[in-house]
Amino acid sequence: MKTEIVILEEDKIDRAIMKRASNIIKSGELVAFPTETVYGLGADGLNTEAVSKIFKAKGRPSDNPLILHIADSSQLEDLVEEVSDTARKCIEKFWPGALTLIFKRTKKVPDIISAGLDTVAIRMPDNKIALELIKESNRPIAAPSANTSGKPSPTKAEHVKLDMDGKIPMIIDGGSTGIGLESTVLDLTESIPLILRPGGVTVEELRELLGNVEMDSSITEMDSDLIPKSPGQKYKHYAPKADMSIYDGEIDEIVHRIREETKIHFENGKKVGIMCTDQTKGFYEQGISISMGNREDKSSIGHNLFNTIRQLDELDVDIILAESISRENMGIAIMNRMTKAADGKIIRVKEE
Ligand code: TXA
Ligand code: MG
């Protein structure tokens, strides 16, 4: 299959292109499109055969459910059993935005979307191209991140092309995605709202709105063997080709330790990539250091994280040494993705 890449600007959407894209969705084929979090791989969310193509193109395990994307809250009516007061509050405050809500589903939601669960994940993306595509297609659009399963989520159309070229008819290039990390997944079917995946909307923001909000313990204790409630969270993810480790502790000690490790690997003829920050980049003379962003502005790190991992992959480094990030606000989502990329390898540094 030939993959066509079309360029669209959020503020100047070409109607003819949008029509073509929605016709592809309506005909049961796939279109990759930008959202404010990461690029999505979209299909008609009510068409089982179309949705099955998503699993095939990504190589995604069939027990991992998908998010339905809507453009108007009225679309919820057909899809969910009940919209609770808590759900209404979340919708009012965070939609359109990086918050996916889990509801009890109706029979209208195809089984393939929910992977056998009695719930469905829904969000309204905050990107005009995504919203227009949903409206023009006139149905909910099922969309996981548009990467091959196990790879970092795509934040640019080039990333989608690397993973999906020849497998789908169209990629809409709407530039770099703003947030760069996927949405927060919040389960509202529990008595206390439960975060299944940390993401673009922070725990602090949710607690401010709702009071008590819990976090799945597999997120807070990532180095344990706890089984996450969200099926997708149990898979190794975002993995670079290189062997990656995260160094956690006081920043001075982290830098000291990464410098030492880099020297040793360098002497052994290894190509080392360092994931650092604006504040520390100047300290690394050896290795290829790439700043993920500014420690004082975590959203800059979220924006660049997946691109940094993909860049190091392209440079064919053998080893990646990454600085940890403090876990407040967006930090927990960043560390969640980094820990998965490193397959759980966190080294706690402490000076003797
Ligand atoms: O930002 C995002 O959420 C992006 C953009 C494209 O919207 N989408 C995305 O989709 O990250 P995906 O499929 O890569 O991740 C969806 C996550 C998975 O961990 C999945 O297991 C979980 O949401 N999920 C989906 N439906 C669920 C359900 N009914 N119950 C629990 N977890 C669910
Ligand atoms: Mg994904």
Side-chain angles (χ1 to χ4, degrees):
M1 181 184 296
K2 183 160 170 21
T3 303
E4 184 189 4
I5 301 181
V6 295
I7 297 176
L8 276 188
E9 277 176 49
E10 261 196 89
D11 291 320
K12 244 188 352 211
I13 294 177
D14 181 319
R15 303 304 322 167
I17 291 180
M18 192 47 84
K19 262 236 137 57
R20 264 176 43 223
S22 62
N23 281 336
I24 295 175
I25 294 282
K26 287 193 254 185
S27 74
E29 293 294 331
L30 308 184
V31 175
F33 61 96
T35 79
E36 81 283 31
T37 58
V38 300
Y39 274 77
L41 182 60
D44 176 348
L46 301 178
N47 176 341
T48 297
E49 204 192 315
V51 174
S52 73
K53 292 178 186 168
I54 292 179
F55 286 88
K56 187 154 174 260
K58 279 182 64 87
R60 181 175 175 110
S62 60
D63 68 347
N64 192 0
L66 299 175
I67 299 172
L68 286 179
H69 294 68
I70 60 174
D72 191 297
S73 305
S74 63
Q75 287 177 284
L76 280 176
E77 223 166 276
D78 277 352
L79 306 171
V80 313
E81 286 292 344
E82 192 210 344
V83 181
S84 65
D85 290 343
T86 310
R88 266 179 225 295
K89 274 195 198 167
C90 291
I91 289 167
E92 217 164 274
K93 170 95 181 163
F94 295 112
W95 280 9
L99 181 67
T100 294
L101 300 174
I102 309 279
F103 300 90
K104 286 264 184 257
R105 69 170 169 130
T106 62
K107 298 236 157 28
K108 241 197 142 159
V109 175
D111 291 339
I112 190 170
I113 294 286
S114 296
L117 303 173
D118 60 358
T119 54
V120 61
I122 303 186
R123 93 173 181 103
M124 189 190 293
D126 188 12
N127 175 291
K128 287 184 190 144
I129 297 169
L131 291 170
E132 277 306 310
L133 183 64
I134 300 163
K135 278 188 210 151
E136 192 73 42
S137 306
N138 197 23
R139 62 205 70 200
I141 292 188
S145 49
N147 51 287
T148 302
S149 266
K151 292 248 229 130
S153 297
T155 57
K156 296 168 189 271
E158 295 97 274
H159 301 161
V160 180
K161 181 167 191 280
L162 278 173
D163 286 8
M164 293 297 151
D165 200 22
K167 295 183 178 168
I168 62 175
M170 184 184 272
I171 299 171
I172 303 179
D173 180 349
S176 276
T177 60
I179 295 177
L181 298 176
E182 306 89 339
S183 62
T184 302
V185 178
L186 184 68
D187 187 350
L188 298 177
T189 66
E190 302 272 347
S191 51
I192 299 171
L194 178 68
I195 295 176
L196 304 184
R197 175 176 75 181
V201 169
T202 66
V203 193
E204 289 86 345
E205 286 174 293
L206 287 170
R207 288 200 172 127
E208 195 181 312
L209 180 74
L210 303 174
N212 204 0
V213 175
E214 287 180 344
M215 184 133 40
D216 194 273
S217 37
S218 66
I219 300 167
T220 41
E221 294 160 60
M222 278 200 68
D223 31 12
S224 70
D225 290 329
L226 292 167
I227 296 172
K229 187 175 176 197
S230 184
Q233 298 301 302
K234 68 176 182 279
Y235 298 107
K236 188 181 164 185
H237 248 101
Y238 316 116
K241 286 179 253 157
D243 184 42
M244 173 169 163
S245 305
I246 302 169
Y247 290 80
D248 193 17
E250 296 294 327
I251 188 61
D252 297 356
E253 293 169 14
I254 292 174
V255 170
H256 182 77
R257 183 66 181 276
I258 291 182
R259 282 170 54 101
E260 276 182 345
E261 297 288 332
T262 305
K263 187 158 178 276
I264 295 168
H265 289 306
F266 192 74
E267 283 165 4
N268 290 330
K270 299 278 190 217
K271 195 168 175 186
V272 181
I274 301 169
M275 289 167 63
C276 59
T277 45
D278 295 352
Q279 283 81 356
T280 56
K281 180 146 176 26
F283 295 124
Y284 301 109
E285 296 105 22
Q286 284 178 313
I288 302 168
S289 53
I290 301 183
S291 173
M292 300 178 276
N294 179 353
R295 283 182 176 275
E296 303 295 314
D297 171 19
K298 295 237 177 62
S299 59
S300 68
I301 298 179
H303 175 79
N304 293 322
L305 180 68
F306 290 139
N307 190 45
T308 306
I309 296 175
R310 281 186 182 257
Q311 266 177 295
L312 288 171
D313 249 355
E314 274 190 17
L315 291 165
D316 255 328
V317 299
D318 303 302
I319 288 168
I320 297 176
L321 309 176
E323 295 176 359
S324 73
I325 302 300
S326 70
R327 287 159 178 79
E328 63 288 344
N329 296 314
M330 202 84 100
I332 188 130
I334 294 167
M335 283 300 289
N336 172 270
R337 308 306 190 269
M338 281 176 71
T339 306
K340 282 172 184 277
D343 200 16
K345 283 194 291 298
I346 301 187
I347 295 157
R348 295 181 212 284
V349 292
K350 190 125 191 58
E351 229 143 58
E352 301 300 314

